[in-house]
Amino acid sequence: MAVRVFRWNPAREKEGKFRTYHVEVQEGARVLHVLHAIHAEDQTLSYRYCCGTGQCGSCAVQVDGEPKLACMTEARDGMTVEPLNLPVRKDLVVEMEPALAQIAPLLPKGQAECPAPEQIAAIKPLRECIECLACVSVCPAMEVAEFTGPAAMRQEMRLALDPRDAGGRIPEAIKAGLFTCTTCQACWKVCPKKIEIPGKAIEKLRALANREGLTLPRHLEVAELVKETGRTVPRTETSFLEQVDEVIEPAGPVKATVGFFVGCMYNLRLPKTALDAIQVLKRNGVRVIIPHEQVCCGSPLIRTGQLEYLPTLQQKNIECFTSRNIDTVMTMCAGCGSTLKNDYRTPFTVKDVNEILTEVGIEPPARLPLTVTYHDPCHLLRGQGIRDQPRALIRRVADLREMAVVKCCGAGGGTRSGAPEVSKALALKRDEEIIKTGADCVISSCPFCEFHIGTFSKTPVKNVTTLLLEGYRKKDEGKA
Amino acid sequence: MRADVAHEAHVLVIGSGGAGVRAALEASRHGETLLVTKSVAGKGGCTPMAEGGYNAALREADSCVGHLEDTLKGGAYLNDLELVKVLVNEAPDRLRDLVRWGAVFDVTETCEVAQRSFGGQRFPRTCYAGDRTGHEMMMTLLEQLRASNVEVLQEVTVTDLLTREGAVVGAAVLDRTGRLEVIRADSTVLATGGGSRVYDVSTNSATGTGDGYSLGYGAGAELIDMEMVQFHPTGAVYPYDARGRLVTEAVRGEGGILRNAKGERFMSRYDPERMELSTRDVVARAIAREILEGRGTPRGGVYLDVTHLPAAQIEGRLPVMLEQFLAYGVDIRKEPMEVAPSAHHFMGGLRITPTGQTTVPGLFACGEVAGGVHGANRLGGNSLAETQVFGKRAGEAAGRAPSRGQRPEPRQLDLIERRLEGFLSGMVNPVMVERKLQLAMWKGAGIFRTGPELTQTLMEVEKLGRKRLHAPSKLNLAECMTVHHLCTTAMLVVKSALLRPESRGAHVRTDLTQAHDAANSPFGHTYLSQHRSGIEMKGGSP
Ligand SMILES: Cc1cc2nc3c(=O)[nH]c(=O)nc-3n(C[C@H](O)[C@H](O)[C@H](O)COP(=O)(O)OP(=O)(O)OC[C@H]3O[C@@H](n4cnc5c(N)ncnc54)[C@H](O)[C@@H]3O)c2cc1C
Ligand code: SF4
Ligand code: SF4
Ligand code: FES
């Protein structure tokens, strides 16, 4: 098989380059075995491994751009193998020691009694970490903030759960950057042990911080507002809900009926975008039912660890749809969608607007003379696994030019309010990527991303549905 | 290349597995301690790979005497009695140390460390953390290491132990750039783990190359029972490049059935009473025999089948196996696994006293690199306990040893440098030597052995050991040294195997008939050093 491998000896060369090797391996071989085969012929290739069975965490590399354990990932003809996105020592070997040194040790109280079975059960999933640093290599917050990162946060939570530990873990975690994490989910999606760090560690640590009275003042304000108004943002203009009827019939025959969960941002900050979406849905045969008593999904509270009021919100939201016998609820906000899908137990199905439009099949819009790029909202891509649908929709209207990297824009996880400098730094990095594409316009599918990128980028930002609507408008103009 | 003393410490510990880290933690209570490891700390070695568990007599109904008797019986009475006594008496306390340091073992409803049954034991005394016990221990130890004042040098390879007037006074190491450095120490603790990588098929990690046996031998230490290599009956055979990967004993424990290619449940011919649950050596030999006599699968294994078990049982009790095999395209709920024996553990090693003192002053050893605890066959779960019990003891003894302040002999350093320079002008790719050696050992010094084959293998091994290995740059010197150690370790195994004229435990000579059983064997340890070699006779002194 042919394999491209990154080669770089920083002691000698200014920059690295890819080399293609042709080697023979047996059926079922892993990436590691390919590296062994290369090394047998070219001893100068450096790479790290030890157990060969996914237990030691020495061998993480990027395979076709994705962090993977070399010893567990099946090799593929034509694959590219690169080091993790960490300082490279040589070829595929990266510096691990600085990141590993950030992982806090347990401070023994001295008792030799075991924790209770339920405490053990809570700690165990966080304990499977093999310290491979795949998560650390993809964490956007670490690039711009003083943040010890996902592997270290996982450990803080593991320690916080252990009655044998004498350390003060919450203040420590806050000092280590707990509130700089954008909950982008990148870390656990690449974790070979599938340790849900954002949900099982970061948000849990923030919840413990909340109990200790250490929630950030800005986050407390948001929670207060939710309790008072049911919404996380104050009303500064006419809201979306104030502008629409409860039932919106499609123009033609009804192809589908959905309940629409609007979310605070589209309701109060970007109502125009939501109205655009309604136009597109109407045109494509989707009947939309919009219960007006719906409230915030609670995502901003979950992400910042303020769980007290959450059940009230959940109950209200579920009831408003069940009382209308709705079996499919559509979200348009990536954050709401991810929350309804992952943090709720709903008796109905939740689908994102991109899924709905893909399923009903859209009327072809006219093509616009635009080159656009697409920014994946974290809570759509990783929170809901939606990658291809928005892209396919975009391609119906305009040329799509991809950015080199998929990364968080910095809007989520309460960082925009809680750690604005971090949030801004990430947006600026994102803007660099946007500029590199030379696109006329950035398309996204999340109000947080749209609003946030819009604040820091000169390139205009639009929602997928707005772009589609523009395509329809052009089509109609042509006819008129 | 001119090596100066780059580091000095009261205690130097070599290896960051369970034994090494435990030793370093203990030694650091007595003086400045330096730990060097070939891998990133805690990532090397076999400790993080151990799945099954840690043996300790914890319950009222169990006893240390019971643990002792099981261990001796399992070891075919070749164990060093004093060492076994120490192991069984102190395993519980060392387990409590781990619990105090935060180890997350599985627990019972009453918050005691949970225990399960393991082969060859009359009481369920194997403590566990799911099927990642070794990893759990390693993480716990690493945390304490990070919190301690032990200085740690990672990804640094020890090439030689340095001596002065017959005593070990430190070590020569290659740092990560391939530069030779000297570490001077009053005491040195070897905790380099095992050497099963001398075989073509092995469960061991990349560092299981036997460096410690070779280092100890080079410094004049005596090794015992090096012929005693445990072959685990069930290593995976597919994919070929990952052959040997451990398939845990728990699969048979849960009711897994072994069948040959003809579909016969062949264990009925080897051990009709215990069937698949027979001891490791018996099952390994049975599987090897089936394959040897042509009743193996096309891929060279036998079937290990759990498809008759309820899917829920497989999912609940064997999650790691299910996941691993799924990754290789085999759903063990629906199809059988294919397995064959795999070299797993070295029972032999450096001869030690109960405080870990080797036969050379200034040198201590603990963990798999030391011999005597397990006799001719190791019980599953005893090694993890061994790393903690003897790690602590060796660390303590090394820490308490007096300061010596001696410097290594310059002449030895010259030799070391010359050998390393030789690699830079060598001719032979070390990877090729390693492969040939592993195949030769598998063929001629594996599960079944004969005198003529062992003699033949010794010649091959020695020939490979004389090859002039090639390092394209200084970065490859460590690799050449590893292959050098691998060859020496293989030589020690074969020579020891030739010294033992009987079948005992893991050592099987098919060309000999013998009247005695293990309990009545006239033989004791084989021993081997640069100065002497032989086999001890019971009742007489060596
Ligand atoms: C797959 C598998 C499963 C097992 N399961 C169990 C089980 O369930 N229960 C049980 O009791 N036992 C089990 N064992 C056996 C047990 O894991 C080992 O015997 C034990 O962990 C050895 O520990 P150690 O500290 O002596 O050496 P290791 O853990 O092997 O560590 C050796 C260390 O030495 C370092 N090193 C080696 N050479 C050099 C050098 N030249 N220079 C510097 N550093 C060097 C390595 O980097 C490594 O850090 C298992 C073994 C394997 C392979
Ligand atoms: S969720 Fe994103 S920002 Fe937070 S730790 Fe994980 S990768 Fe980093
Ligand atoms: S959390 Fe997962 S990805 Fe991160 S170091 Fe641990 S095992 Fe690797
Ligand atoms: S080599 Fe240990 S995890 Fe891959």
Side-chain angles (χ1 to χ4, degrees), chain A residues 32 49-59 69-71 130:
Chain A
L32 180 63
Y49 77 105
C50 204
C51 69
T53 51
Q55 291 166 293
C56 75
S58 307
C59 67
L69 293 181
C71 66
I130 52 172

Side-chain angles (χ1 to χ4, degrees), chain B residues 262-276:
Chain B
K262 296 161 88 182
E264 296 163 341
R265 193 169 171 188
F266 57 84
M267 279 312 295
S268 60
R269 276 187 270 121
Y270 300 90
D271 188 342
E273 221 160 273
R274 292 180 295 180
M275 297 293 282
E276 282 80 5

Side-chain angles (χ1 to χ4, degrees), chain B residues 62 78 89 151 195 256 301 334 354 358 366 395 531:
Chain B
D62 195 8
L78 186 61
N89 288 334
E151 195 190 335
K334 299 190 186 117
T358 68
C366 53
H531 317 293

